[in-house]
Amino acid sequence: MTDHNESKEDDRLIIWFDIDNTLYSASSNISHAMGTRIHAYFLRLGLSHEDASELHLKYYTQYGLAVRGLTRHHDVGNPLDFDRQCDGSLPLEEMISYDPSLRKLFEDIDTSKARIWGLTNAYRPHAERVLRILKLDDLVEGLVYCDYLVKDFVCKPEPEYYEMAMNQANVRDPSKCYFVDDNRKNVDAARDLGWAHCVHFCEKGLEAMEGGKIKEIDDSREPGAAENDVIDITTLEDLRKVWPEIFKQPT
């Protein structure tokens, strides 16, 4: 797995998979546990419970990630300490487990036609840890992530994030990009940039915690967002029907 530019452009299609709440079910409650830890981090800055909840939601809404607001407006000298106390402290091995059917789905992608990359708003150690637990790390060619060490780093759904991703993967034609994410705003942003094949993964009846509050976020869109051809799926197995061209053909 790599996260840097290759020497020349690869002509194959590229399949971008979001990681959290996409490669595993939101019922794992990882987002809830993460939200609880982020809230506790706000409290350690001296904020009240109410102010912590409001700022957590505000920063998530305004910046895409709470840590981006924290580094801009608070004395957070080392964002890696934030990562250790929040994402890094999650007992992921107890919360998610290897799913043979998911690995089979990845194995059935025809790598002569397409390559598989991860596209996440998490920091690299968390994303790699998830992929290792799910036994997908050897099947994912590259990983684009939020680099907390970069000042004013970008994240989904900012256009610059998707442009960075294409640059790292050396793909110039957005029509070659296939993308699946559980956050509809992230999917819409990719579609607006010409990523031709975008899928919204939405587990019905499940909620996720973002911004310190439990709310249904997967179906939320920007106010006034135009209708597009984004497809909703409720299981990743549906990709076999939605994107049959990327899978190996039965013999």
Side-chain angles (χ1 to χ4, degrees):
M1 187 160 40
T2 182
D3 59 1
H4 57 272
N5 284 26
E6 301 295 338
S7 59
K8 69 182 218 177
E9 183 177 359
D10 193 315
D11 289 333
R12 290 175 295 168
L13 304 172
I14 183 163
I15 319 301
W16 302 100
F17 281 94
D18 173 48
I19 292 178
D20 289 305
N21 291 329
T22 297
L23 296 185
Y24 58 79
S25 172
S27 64
S28 65
N29 291 321
I30 288 176
S31 58
H32 287 250
M34 194 180 300
T36 298
R37 284 163 171 74
I38 295 173
H39 182 79
Y41 190 92
F42 274 90
L43 295 179
R44 285 191 287 274
L45 297 177
L47 298 170
S48 67
H49 281 284
E50 183 178 353
D51 288 344
S53 292
E54 291 301 322
L55 278 179
H56 188 174
L57 179 60
K58 176 183 178 182
Y59 291 163
Y60 175 80
T61 304
Q62 183 174 352
Y63 297 114
L65 287 173
V67 66
R68 295 183 70 203
L70 284 167
T71 55
R72 284 164 171 75
H73 304 296
H74 302 269
D75 185 18
V76 180
N78 184 6
L80 295 188
D81 182 59
F82 169 90
D83 182 65
R84 282 191 292 270
Q85 294 188 44
C86 298
D87 288 18
S89 69
L90 290 168
L92 294 180
E93 290 79 4
E94 301 171 13
M95 305 178 83
I96 56 176
S97 59
Y98 167 57
D99 178 358
S101 65
L102 178 60
R103 181 174 174 87
K104 182 67 165 59
L105 179 77
F106 273 56
E107 288 176 335
D108 285 348
I109 292 175
D110 188 344
T111 54
S112 70
K113 298 178 181 177
R115 49 203 172 115
I116 304 170
W117 276 58
L119 193 70
T120 179
N121 270 356
Y123 190 39
R124 181 172 183 165
H126 171 82
E128 291 183 335
R129 195 171 156 209
V130 171
L131 292 174
R132 282 196 302 271
I133 294 170
L134 298 179
K135 297 185 180 180
L136 297 174
D137 51 316
D138 62 316
L139 300 176
V140 175
E141 176 182 316
L143 177 66
V144 178
Y145 58 93
C146 290
D147 190 347
Y148 291 178
L149 295 179
V150 174
K151 181 176 169 48
D152 296 332
F153 64 86
V154 294
C155 67
K156 296 179 287 185
E158 296 173 311
E160 295 82 3
Y161 180 93
Y162 302 91
E163 293 163 3
M164 174 184 75
M166 290 183 64
N167 182 58
Q168 288 186 15
N170 274 299
V171 55
R172 303 289 176 261
D173 183 357
S175 70
K176 292 183 177 179
C177 292
Y178 288 62
F179 178 44
V180 56
D181 195 303
D182 68 297
N183 187 306
R184 181 59 191 265
K185 290 179 183 177
N186 294 344
V187 177
D188 284 347
R191 190 69 190 88
D192 288 344
L193 290 173
W195 289 26
H197 309 274
C198 291
V199 168
H200 176 217
F201 176 63
C202 44
E203 294 179 281
K204 297 304 180 185
L206 291 178
E207 297 176 326
M209 173 180 276
E210 298 290 359
K213 296 182 178 179
I214 297 174
K215 59 176 187 166
E216 293 184 359
I217 63 165
D218 295 347
D219 294 318
S220 64
R221 305 188 69 198
E222 292 291 349
E227 288 301 316
N228 53 34
D229 57 358
V230 168
I231 296 172
D232 287 344
I233 62 172
T234 58
T235 171
L236 292 181
E237 283 294 323
D238 290 341
L239 293 178
R240 295 183 187 274
K241 299 176 182 177
V242 175
W243 297 338
E245 67 275 14
I246 72 168
F247 290 94
K248 299 171 184 173
Q249 300 302 310
T251 56

